[in-house]
Amino acid sequence: MYRYVIKRLLLLIPILLGVIFIILFIMSFTPGDPASLLLGQDAPEEAIVQLNTEFGYYDPLQVKYVKYIYNALHGDFGLSYRTQKPVFGEIIKRFPVTLKLAFCSVILTALMGIPLGIISAVKKYKPIDMVCTSCAMVFASLPRFWLGLLLILFFSVKLKLFPSNGVGSWRHFVLPVFTLAAPTAANILRLTRSTMLETIRQDYVRTARAKGASERRIIFKHELKNALLPVITALGVEFGMLLGGAILIETVFSMSGISTLMITSIRMKDTPQVTASIIFFAVLVCITMLVVDMIYAFIDPRIRSKYIK
C-alpha cells in the first residue's frame, strides 16, 4: 500500500511542472502588464518600465519558468505584485472559507443524492421515482449562478432568513452551500440510481434473494456496497472541482475565498499569486483523488488485495 501512495505522490512532480508552465504561458499572453494596472494609466512610462523590469515581466517565457522552478525548490514562491507579501500567506488566510464551502457542499450532496438515488432505484417507475428523477433533471440543468441569485432574491431579500454575502457565521454558508450542492446532488442521484439498477440485475443479488435474505439486507449489503464505487469517484472529483471551481458562487455571495483571490489576481495580472493559487489547488485535487482510491481499497476487497501486492 505504501508503495502505491509513494508512486502517486511522485506523480505530483511532473503534474506541477506542467501546471506551472501552462500558467506562465497563458499569463504571458493576457493583455496588459502588472505595472500599468498597479500604477494606473497616468503613471510615467519610466516608472512602468522600471516596475515591470523588477517583476521580471520582460523576461522570456523559458527564463521565467526556470527562475520560478529554481526559486520554488528553495521555498520561495514569490511576492504578490499587489500586496508585496508572500503569496501563500494570503492563500492560507482564505483557504478555510473555500474548504468549508466545498466540504459542506459535498456532505450535503451525499446526504441528498445517495438516499434519493437508492429510493428511486428500489421504487423504479413508481411515482416517487418519477418525482425524484424529474427534480434531478431540473436541478442538473440549472446554472449555479442563476440558482444562487434566485435564492438570494427569495430567502435574503424577501424572507430575510439568511444573509446574502459575507462569511461571519454558519448562516452565511446556507445559501451558497445549497447552491453548490443541489445540481451536484441531482447528478449523484441519477448516478446512484443507474448503478443500483445495474447491481440489482447481478446473479449474486438474485441468489441472495433466493436464499431468503431480507430486502433491507440485500439492498444495503449486496447492492449498495457494490454500487457505491462510481459514486465515491464522482464525489471525490466533485470535491476537487469545488475547491478550485467555486469561483462564481464565491463571487455571487461575496465570499472571501481563494477563488475570489484568483479572480482579483488575474485581473491585476498578479502572476505569482495566480501561479501559487493554482499549484495549491492542483496539489489538493491530487491528494483528494489519492484519498478516494484509498477509500476504494477499504470498500472493495479486490482492489485492496491488488494494493497489498
Side-chain angles (χ1 to χ4, degrees):
M1 181 74 75
Y2 71 91
R3 292 181 180 177
Y4 174 78
V5 174
I6 293 174
K7 288 180 181 179
R8 288 290 296 271
L9 292 177
L10 289 177
L11 281 176
L12 279 173
I13 297 175
I15 291 174
L16 294 181
L17 291 176
V19 166
I20 293 171
F21 180 81
I22 292 173
I23 299 168
L24 295 178
F25 179 78
I26 293 175
M27 293 297 290
S28 65
F29 283 96
T30 56
D33 60 87
S36 298
L37 295 172
L38 291 172
L39 300 178
Q41 297 296 330
D42 297 331
E45 184 68 23
E46 296 79 7
I48 293 177
V49 172
Q50 181 180 355
L51 188 57
N52 280 331
T53 304
E54 293 177 3
F55 290 157
Y57 176 74
Y58 300 118
D59 293 340
L61 176 61
Q62 60 270 23
V63 175
K64 293 180 182 179
Y65 182 70
V66 172
K67 281 184 177 180
Y68 192 91
I69 298 298
Y70 177 81
N71 292 332
L73 290 175
H74 290 79
D76 180 13
F77 290 89
L79 301 176
S80 170
Y81 292 162
R82 296 180 298 109
T83 63
Q84 289 299 301
K85 294 180 180 179
V87 289
F88 273 102
E90 189 69 19
I91 293 174
I92 298 302
K93 178 182 176 182
R94 293 178 178 239
F95 178 61
V97 174
T98 300
L99 178 62
K100 188 184 298 184
L101 181 61
F103 182 77
C104 293
S105 299
V106 169
I107 294 298
L108 184 59
T109 294
L111 292 177
M112 292 193 301
I114 295 177
L116 291 177
I118 296 172
I119 295 172
S120 185
V122 174
K123 304 294 184 180
K124 181 182 178 183
Y125 298 142
K126 294 185 178 180
I128 190 171
D129 177 32
M130 299 296 183
V131 172
C132 289
T133 53
S134 299
C135 292
M137 292 180 65
V138 171
F139 278 102
S141 61
L142 289 178
R144 280 179 172 149
F145 73 91
W146 187 76
L147 177 60
L149 293 175
L150 286 181
L151 293 177
I152 290 174
L153 179 63
F154 187 73
F155 289 101
S156 296
V157 177
K158 290 189 176 181
L159 299 181
K160 301 186 184 301
L161 293 177
F162 301 105
S164 61
N165 58 73
V167 292
S169 66
W170 66 268
R171 298 177 69 250
H172 291 85
F173 285 88
V174 173
L175 295 184
V177 165
F178 184 81
T179 303
L180 284 173
T184 309
N187 295 325
I188 294 298
L189 186 155
R190 296 166 64 189
L191 178 61
T192 303
R193 181 181 183 274
S194 63
T195 54
M196 283 287 292
L197 290 176
E198 184 67 26
T199 307
I200 288 172
R201 302 187 186 99
Q202 300 300 316
D203 293 337
Y204 58 82
V205 174
R206 287 194 291 267
T207 302
R209 188 172 282 112
K211 289 181 176 179
S214 65
E215 195 64 24
R216 180 183 296 272
R217 180 178 177 84
I218 292 173
I219 292 173
F220 290 99
K221 182 174 179 58
H222 298 285
E223 296 176 2
L224 182 60
K225 187 175 181 180
N226 291 279
L228 273 182
L229 289 178
V231 177
I232 291 174
T233 302
L235 288 173
V237 172
E238 186 62 28
F239 180 68
M241 292 178 62
L242 288 175
L243 284 173
I247 295 175
L248 287 176
I249 301 307
E250 288 188 7
T251 303
V252 169
F253 290 94
S254 300
M255 306 181 76
S256 56
I258 301 181
S259 298
T260 53
L261 172 65
M262 283 202 334
I263 290 293
T264 304
S265 301
I266 291 172
R267 288 173 178 171
M268 299 301 296
K269 205 162 184 179
D270 192 348
T271 302
Q273 188 69 71
V274 174
T275 307
S277 300
I278 297 180
I279 289 174
F280 187 74
F281 281 138
V283 173
L284 287 178
V285 170
C286 291
I287 292 176
T288 300
M289 298 313 299
L290 175 59
V291 172
V292 169
D293 289 342
M294 301 294 289
I295 295 175
Y296 262 37
F298 284 104
I299 294 178
D300 194 333
R302 296 169 298 178
I303 300 177
R304 182 163 62 248
S305 62
K306 182 179 178 181
Y307 284 167
I308 292 175
K309 290 179 182 180

